[in-house]
Amino acid sequence: MNVRKIVTVIEEIRTEGGRAVSPPATVAVVAAVIDNPWAGRGFVEDLAPGIEAHASGLGALLAPAVLEALGAPSEAYGKAAVVGLDGEIEHGSALIHTLKFGDHFRKAANATTLLPAVEKRGPAGVVFDIPLKHITDATIRSHHQSVEARIADAPHPHEIVIGLAAAAQGRPQQRLAALTSEQ
């Protein structure tokens, strides 16, 4: 796996709705820009060899990095794959929609729920929103949020951006009733 660069972004929200957020709401994103193992090869029927070669290594690289960047236990998490224009969305999906990738994050965050995801294809600098949900209960509304990410020079046409996001809490100033209030 050729990693061209790793980008880390930490967002700290100190005020929301005109009121202080205390402690500040923190979200971290760590993304690796990698060569697309399938780009330039035409239609590849069997993606399994590439998944086997790359997915687990990406999860092992990114999971500890995003939790370290967050600097606190994660309560919400998500993942992303942004494929350059010479690839297919399926190439990104192949790398992130496997337990070989996601279980690294689940174990590191003591999580049990599925990781919400975004996959898309785009040019360098494309904006993508990583959806986040609670790490153990996807019905906890306060943790349904997203974080916007962008890497100015990635993905190149033959690259994929693979990212993980973690939040130390739910949305700042959340006040929606629990889902059980509607059942």
Side-chain angles (χ1 to χ4, degrees), residues 5-183:
K5 70 193 286 184
I6 295 177
V7 175
T8 301
V9 176
I10 301 167
E11 179 177 289
E12 192 175 270
I13 301 167
R14 295 176 167 265
T15 304
E16 180 74 20
R19 292 188 176 186
V21 176
S22 183
T26 306
V27 181
V29 175
V30 176
V33 180
I34 65 166
D35 284 340
N36 181 339
W38 303 284
R41 296 178 41 201
F43 187 85
V44 177
E45 186 69 38
D46 184 6
L47 301 177
I51 294 167
E52 190 64 36
H54 304 292
S56 182
L58 282 165
L61 173 71
L62 296 173
V66 73
L67 293 174
E68 182 180 330
L70 184 62
S74 177
E75 289 188 11
Y77 67 168
K79 61 187 174 183
V82 182
V83 180
L85 296 176
D86 286 349
E88 301 171 38
I89 293 172
E90 189 71 0
H91 297 163
S93 294
L95 293 173
I96 67 170
H97 289 301
T98 173
L99 296 176
K100 293 175 188 316
F101 176 79
D103 273 355
H104 289 282
F105 201 8
R106 254 181 235 94
K107 288 175 185 169
N110 296 312
T112 57
T113 58
L114 292 175
L115 274 156
V118 63
E119 309 94 336
K120 68 188 290 184
R121 179 177 35 230
V126 67
V127 174
F128 54 100
D129 289 344
I130 303 174
L132 303 169
K133 295 209 182 210
H134 195 277
I135 63 169
T136 61
D137 185 348
T139 67
I140 297 176
R141 290 179 173 177
S142 60
H143 288 61
H144 292 199
Q145 56 188 316
S146 61
V147 59
E148 184 176 283
R150 175 184 176 277
I151 301 173
D153 69 341
H156 290 170
H158 65 279
E159 292 179 330
I160 304 175
V161 173
I162 300 293
L164 292 179
Q169 69 299 303
R171 294 183 312 276
Q173 316 296 21
Q174 75 80 26
R175 16 193 209 285
L176 296 179
L179 181 62
T180 56
S181 69
E182 294 182 20
Q183 295 176 333

